[in-house]
Amino acid sequence: MPAKRGQSRRSEPQGGGGVLVVVESPAKARSIGKMLGPGYEVRASKGHVVDLPERTLGVDVANNFAPTYEVKKEKKGVVEELKKAAKGRRLLIATDPDREGEAIGWHIARLLGRNPEEPIRVEFHEITPKVVRQAVEAPRPIDQNLVDAQQARRVLDRLLGYNLSPLLSQAFRKRALSAGRVQSVALRLVVEREEEIEAFKKEVYWLLHGRFQAEGQDLWASLYEVEGKRLWTGQGEKEGRLHLKGEGEARRLAQEALRFPYRVERVEVKERRKAPPPPFTTSTLQQAASSRLGYTASRTMRIAQRLYEGVDLPEGTVGLITYMRTDSVRVSPEALALARGVIGEVFGPEYLPESPRVYRNRKEGVQDAHEAIRPTDPRRTPESVRPHLSEEEYRLYDLIWRRFLASQMRDALYESTVVFLKGGAFLFRASGSVLKFEGYLKVWGREEDEEEPPVPALPQGAEARLLEVKPEEKTTEPPPRYTDATLVKTLEELGIGRPSTYAPTLETLEKRGYVERKGRTLLPTPLGREVTDYLRRHFPQVVAYEFTARMEDRLDQVEEGKAPWPKVVLEFYEPFLQELAQVPKKTCPKCGRPLELKVSRYGQFLGCTGYPECTYTEPLEVDEPLEEACPKCGRPLVRKRGRYGLFIACTGYPECDYTRDDAKVTSWTCPKCGGRVLEKRSQRGKAYYRCENKACDFLSFYPLLPTPCPGCGWPLVKKGEGACINPACSLHDPALLPKEAPKGQGGASRKKGLPKGKPQDWEELRPFLSELSPEERGALEALAQGKALGEAEARLAKKALFKLRMRKGRVKKEAVAGA
């Protein structure tokens, strides 16, 4: 029988030496280690330790899609360390409480020789001392249904990617193209929205606004009806409605309206209640962080991960929020009681409803294993923990704290007034509202579009005089482009993707060059549009909204134990294979057999499937000719792709070695060397600005404004009201300089990719130290001794490590060859 959630049996240690607890991240390991104390050793797997093989399919399609797993190359050392640490110890696996975490735990248990059906699995929905200790006292078996659901998702992604990604690379003659069930549908949404915008034809329409005087008071009202026909302000005509398309017609009606006496036909005064929103789920957190803070989905999740894993406070290390990947709005009774206590104390008892608010998910199939995203203890106000958080951590925690408290407060109460004024065939309408009681808005704040200026509540039948009528020209607007917030909301409404997939999906679309950002909006690139068009023509089911949503529902059924995972995979794979068979294949010009994408030490290329009988090959990417001559020798330039991306090179190579970055040229010249300033893109798709001369270190991560600094002539950047980036200028903003890392967080060595601490293979590398330069050797020895390194030293140590490991590898190969 598959293991069910909630089963709880204590398992005895398999020997002496205490308990080994395995989590996913080092930060989480440090937090939990401090909470559990002596008798427990907490180690991190650093994410997935096994996966399907890199260069082969790894799925036995004929044998119920049985996967073949391998320990990831970069995780072999981690696995060996875990095996050593687990000897003679009781094992507890505390990976993240979701499908992916369950699958990681299952792999770890098997690698360490433990039975997944034994009670070795614990879950931390929040990382606080009380919850952590309670969890380790009540382990359960690994839930095989959760593992199967994740296994089905991974196999589906591999079958799609392994077959489709090479096809895209061949079709577009580009490397690193990819497709996916959720990724390709999200791209289709962005592309089709852009197509709607381009096809949209703006229409002009007119409104009439009248200024009235009644009972000694002035008020503005808008034309509502003429001869019983309601005014229509939408796109196109609508039967039975009045549509003012021309200025002449609008001005004629304005003049006619002034001829009549008016009276107040009726007054509607209503009390309107506005209920608070529920606490955050993953998607609503990403939406609110995008609209209120300007954070991308991936940035939001990275910050939330840190808040969940633990922050050092004076009281000790504690996680500030509950688990951040959830689609449930449920909240525990204990948390509700704490929230009500804070609301009564901080805001007053008048803001408390009579009983706690209980929220339920509207969608069916929501996994309710986790609570909503909330503070672990709402008594920790954002201001009380602010000294211990970075600015972005504080802002996100503040958002989560406010949303949670708002969800347990009274409704906001408005008094809405609508006044109708009639004269002849004309009916004007004025509306407004007054906030009578803030309720939850006291903590959550008001949206800009919620406010309406108040109107006087005039007595019915009162006479009114129309003083003037102003026509206003308006145009219909196309649908807005997607932002992170609206795209995530649409995916959720369509039932596509799950909490853990939204942020990686958006990040992949940017990384592959399928979309780009313009402010907060997402625009499809020409490549993204071409890929979508190709998929719609050849693989309509892969990018079909209903089909993809149905697959998500089926994966949920696997998790619930209602469907076997191989059957669910087959439901997707069979129609995909039928579509795949219809795609025309590129053939070998020598023997007529299909070409396929191959990989060598020099990169990807197209080769004949008849190898070794037929040895035909051709490059995957063809150099793109430019209508520009080389400034050094006059020969034509081409756009090429190299190890670090696209660049411009001379066709006269190797006689002429002219190259330059392929990037957008700005209007600025470099203030340091006079070269052109280029706008480039990072691997995450973020724009930055640097000089075209590689020897020059001019660099800005902030957008450059067109106006120069009045003090020194350097570029001003889009930071506040415009700040100078020249450190020597009196107008320079010190906030533009990199901030010093908080104590205990590693400083510059915490930057992505820089080494931290003594290398694990230090003893194997030491024999080759003499081959390094004195500077490299000094930096690496300081690293091994645990000394704090500056950023420059850390980068030097990283370079030295790379050299030594390459040397170690060559020595091993030579030894094998000699044997």
Side-chain angles (χ1 to χ4, degrees):
M1 291 289 290
K4 300 294 182 185
R5 288 198 211 187
Q7 289 181 349
S8 165
R9 304 193 306 272
R10 291 294 306 273
S11 67
E12 296 303 318
Q14 298 182 3
V19 181
L20 174 67
V21 182
V22 180
V23 298
E24 284 185 51
S25 79
K28 192 174 174 183
R30 285 192 294 271
S31 300
I32 293 170
K34 291 176 184 177
M35 295 174 190
L36 291 177
Y40 292 87
E41 182 181 359
V42 187
R43 287 184 175 252
S45 70
K46 300 178 183 177
H48 286 275
V49 291
V50 303
D51 199 0
L52 298 172
E54 286 186 15
R55 296 188 180 275
T56 58
L57 178 61
V59 177
D60 189 347
V61 175
N63 187 25
N64 273 338
F65 301 99
T68 300
Y69 293 111
E70 294 180 352
V71 176
K72 299 173 78 172
K73 190 166 30 178
E74 68 274 16
K75 293 296 178 67
K76 288 183 178 179
V78 173
V79 171
E80 289 305 314
E81 290 296 323
L82 288 177
K83 286 180 178 178
K84 290 177 186 177
K87 283 183 180 177
R89 283 178 164 182
R90 178 184 167 204
L91 175 69
L92 292 178
I93 295 173
T95 45
D96 286 351
D98 54 17
R99 290 176 185 169
E100 199 166 4
E102 202 78 11
I104 293 172
W106 182 71
H107 288 302
I108 290 171
R110 287 157 55 92
L111 286 170
L112 301 186
R114 305 298 169 88
N115 184 357
E117 296 181 4
E118 291 295 316
I120 59 175
R121 175 78 165 112
V122 294
E123 291 182 319
F124 303 136
H125 297 283
E126 58 182 79
I127 299 179
T128 55
K130 177 184 175 183
V131 171
V132 166
R133 293 189 189 107
Q134 286 177 344
V136 298
E137 291 299 317
R140 61 165 175 80
I142 286 175
D143 190 330
Q144 191 62 42
N145 292 335
L146 280 174
V147 175
D148 288 345
Q150 178 61 26
Q151 197 160 231
R153 180 182 293 277
R154 184 69 188 97
V155 168
L156 278 171
D157 290 343
R158 171 52 64 95
L159 291 172
L160 185 74
Y162 193 84
N163 287 287
L164 198 47
S165 296
L167 207 60
L168 289 176
S169 292
Q170 287 186 55
F172 295 97
R173 307 302 292 259
K174 290 181 181 292
R175 294 187 294 173
L177 297 187
S178 67
R181 290 179 311 107
V182 178
Q183 169 197 324
S184 298
V185 173
L187 177 59
R188 179 187 172 186
L189 283 168
V190 176
V191 169
E192 290 186 344
R193 176 58 57 87
E194 195 67 21
E195 290 172 347
E196 283 181 66
I197 293 170
E198 291 170 350
F200 186 85
K201 293 181 180 178
K202 289 190 175 183
E203 293 183 4
V204 174
Y205 66 94
W206 290 78
L207 301 175
L208 295 182
H209 305 291
R211 183 165 68 90
F212 290 84
Q213 189 173 68
E215 299 286 305
Q217 301 184 77
D218 281 9
L219 78 156
W220 283 93
S222 299
L223 181 64
Y224 186 67
E225 277 183 6
V226 179
E227 295 180 345
K229 287 187 175 182
R230 184 86 53 85
L231 192 68
W232 167 248
T233 58
Q235 188 83 355
E237 300 283 349
K238 191 168 185 180
E239 188 178 352
R241 302 287 286 271
L242 175 64
H243 191 45
L244 299 180
K245 295 187 292 184
E247 182 178 4
E249 185 182 6
R251 293 198 179 279
R252 180 184 62 77
L253 279 177
Q255 289 299 318
E256 189 177 341
L258 288 166
R259 293 167 39 202
F260 297 99
Y262 287 82
R263 63 180 177 80
V264 177
E265 184 182 64
R266 67 180 187 275
V267 179
E268 298 174 356
V269 180
K270 296 180 180 178
E271 183 180 275
R272 179 168 63 90
R273 291 180 173 274
K274 189 171 183 183
F280 281 133
T281 62
T282 302
S283 67
T284 54
L285 173 63
Q286 291 171 1
Q287 292 166 44
S290 173
S291 57
R292 290 197 170 207
L293 307 179
Y295 292 172
T296 63
S298 55
R299 182 182 181 186
T300 299
M301 297 310 290
R302 285 195 298 271
I303 302 167
Q305 183 86 33
R306 298 199 296 267
L307 294 175
Y308 162 71
E309 289 182 342
V311 174
D312 292 332
L313 302 178
E315 67 197 72
T317 302
V318 65
L320 292 183
I321 65 171
T322 53
Y323 192 57
M324 64 284 160
R325 294 189 184 93
T326 176
D327 51 7
S328 172
V329 292
R330 179 177 61 82
V331 175
S332 69
E334 296 80 9
L336 292 178
L338 287 174
R340 288 176 64 82
V342 173
I343 292 166
E345 183 180 335
V346 176
F347 302 102
E350 65 272 20
Y351 288 91
L352 269 176
E354 293 181 4
S355 59
R357 292 183 181 272
V358 178
Y359 295 92
R360 291 180 175 82
N361 289 84
R362 296 176 184 176
K363 287 195 312 176
E364 294 184 6
V366 167
Q367 305 305 303
D368 202 41
H370 310 145
E371 290 186 54
I373 303 170
R374 61 167 178 81
T376 53
D377 188 341
R379 292 172 294 188
R380 292 191 192 96
T381 64
E383 291 305 320
S384 70
V385 297
R386 187 169 192 171
H388 312 286
L389 303 177
S390 67
E391 184 61 22
E392 62 179 8
E393 289 169 345
Y394 162 74
R395 294 182 72 195
L396 191 66
Y397 180 69
D398 179 69
L399 189 71
I400 294 169
W401 185 86
R402 290 179 183 279
R403 177 68 167 239
F404 178 54
L405 260 63
S407 72
Q408 289 303 315
M409 295 173 76
R410 282 189 180 272
D411 294 351
L413 185 62
Y414 292 87
E415 183 179 87
S416 299
T417 304
V418 181
V419 178
F420 291 92
L421 302 110
K422 187 170 180 62
F426 292 85
L427 184 66
F428 284 79
R429 180 181 183 272
S431 65
S433 64
V434 177
L435 181 63
K436 292 291 189 181
F437 177 64
E438 282 184 299
Y440 78 93
L441 297 176
K442 180 80 173 176
V443 64
W444 185 238
R446 307 180 202 177
E447 303 292 345
E448 291 180 3
D449 58 353
E450 287 180 336
E451 300 295 326
E452 271 190 303
V455 297
L458 300 171
Q460 188 168 329
E463 292 185 356
R465 189 157 59 96
L466 179 57
L467 303 177
E468 61 175 316
V469 179
K470 288 186 176 180
E472 181 187 8
E473 184 183 31
K474 305 279 281 185
T475 57
T476 56
E477 294 295 329
R481 290 189 175 102
Y482 283 112
T483 62
D484 280 37
T486 54
L487 184 57
V488 166
K489 184 178 181 181
T490 302
L491 288 170
E492 186 179 41
E493 287 172 349
L494 291 172
I496 295 167
R498 286 298 179 261
S500 61
T501 63
Y502 300 131
T505 295
L506 294 176
E507 198 168 15
T508 300
L509 291 179
E510 267 194 280
K511 195 173 181 180
R512 298 298 184 202
Y514 293 157
V515 301
E516 59 186 7
R517 294 184 182 275
K518 186 177 181 181
R520 294 188 184 182
T521 60
L522 299 170
L523 280 78
T525 62
L527 176 62
R529 300 178 78 147
E530 291 170 9
V531 167
T532 297
D533 184 57
Y534 180 88
L535 292 174
R536 281 187 298 200
R537 281 187 287 112
H538 297 294
F539 298 93
Q541 291 211 74
V542 170
V543 291
Y545 301 134
E546 302 81 6
F547 184 70
T548 308
R550 190 164 68 249
M551 288 309 304
E552 293 288 0
D553 291 338
R554 293 290 282 152
L555 288 172
D556 289 343
Q557 290 174 14
V558 173
E559 179 173 336
E560 295 162 10
K562 297 177 180 177
W565 75 264
K567 181 182 178 182
V568 171
V569 173
L570 184 64
E571 290 171 10
F572 178 88
Y573 190 57
E574 279 189 332
F576 171 66
L577 273 185
Q578 292 170 7
E579 293 179 342
L580 186 65
Q582 303 300 316
V583 179
K585 304 293 190 299
K586 184 176 177 64
T587 57
C588 173
K590 289 178 67 176
C591 69
R593 282 176 256 192
L595 294 179
E596 65 180 358
L597 191 68
K598 297 189 175 186
V599 181
S600 74
R601 60 183 297 187
Y602 301 107
Q604 294 178 322
F605 65 97
L606 297 180
C608 181
T609 51
Y611 181 85
E613 291 82 9
C614 179
T615 58
Y616 176 80
T617 63
E618 63 179 66
L620 175 65
E621 294 178 307
V622 181
D623 295 342
E624 179 186 345
L626 302 177
E627 294 181 1
E628 185 181 348
C630 173
K632 287 182 70 174
C633 70
R635 281 176 275 202
L637 294 177
V638 291
R639 180 177 285 108
K640 302 171 74 73
R641 180 178 290 276
R643 181 178 177 185
Y644 301 105
L646 294 172
F647 67 99
I648 307 299
C650 179
T651 52
Y653 182 83
E655 291 82 10
C656 177
D657 61 355
Y658 174 80
T659 62
R660 73 166 189 262
D661 287 329
D662 179 37
K664 181 181 176 183
V665 179
T666 69
S667 59
W668 278 100
T669 55
C670 175
K672 289 191 172 184
C673 72
R676 297 180 301 179
V677 175
L678 307 177
E679 180 184 325
K680 303 194 71 178
R681 295 267 164 189
S682 69
Q683 286 187 348
R684 294 187 182 275
K686 187 176 180 181
Y688 67 96
Y689 303 82
R690 59 156 295 168
C691 179
E692 66 176 338
N693 296 322
K694 294 179 181 177
C696 180
D697 64 353
F698 175 79
L699 177 69
S700 172
F701 290 104
Y702 300 97
L704 304 182
L705 297 176
T707 51
C709 172
C712 66
W714 275 48
L716 292 178
V717 297
K718 194 175 179 182
K719 173 82 171 173
E721 295 299 318
C724 180
I725 56 174
N726 181 4
C729 178
S730 60
L731 300 177
H732 175 66
D733 183 356
L736 298 178
L737 294 172
K739 293 182 180 178
E740 185 177 345
K743 187 176 180 182
Q745 291 190 14
S749 65
R750 281 182 61 88
K751 290 181 179 292
K752 184 179 178 183
L754 297 185
K756 302 181 284 289
K758 184 177 180 179
Q760 290 184 348
D761 54 351
W762 176 241
E763 294 303 322
E764 297 177 52
L765 299 177
R766 286 181 66 178
F768 309 111
L769 280 174
S770 59
E771 301 180 20
L772 299 175
S773 68
E775 294 81 8
E776 291 171 334
R777 187 164 61 249
L780 196 53
E781 287 176 338
L783 177 73
Q785 293 166 14
K787 295 180 180 178
L789 303 183
E791 184 177 347
E793 286 181 298
R795 293 192 183 282
L796 198 60
K798 179 182 177 182
K799 181 180 177 182
L801 271 176
F802 177 76
K803 285 184 178 180
L804 292 189
R805 284 172 176 154
M806 290 293 288
R807 180 75 174 105
K808 181 182 77 172
R810 285 196 297 271
V811 168
K812 285 186 176 180
K813 284 183 179 179
E814 289 167 2
V816 171

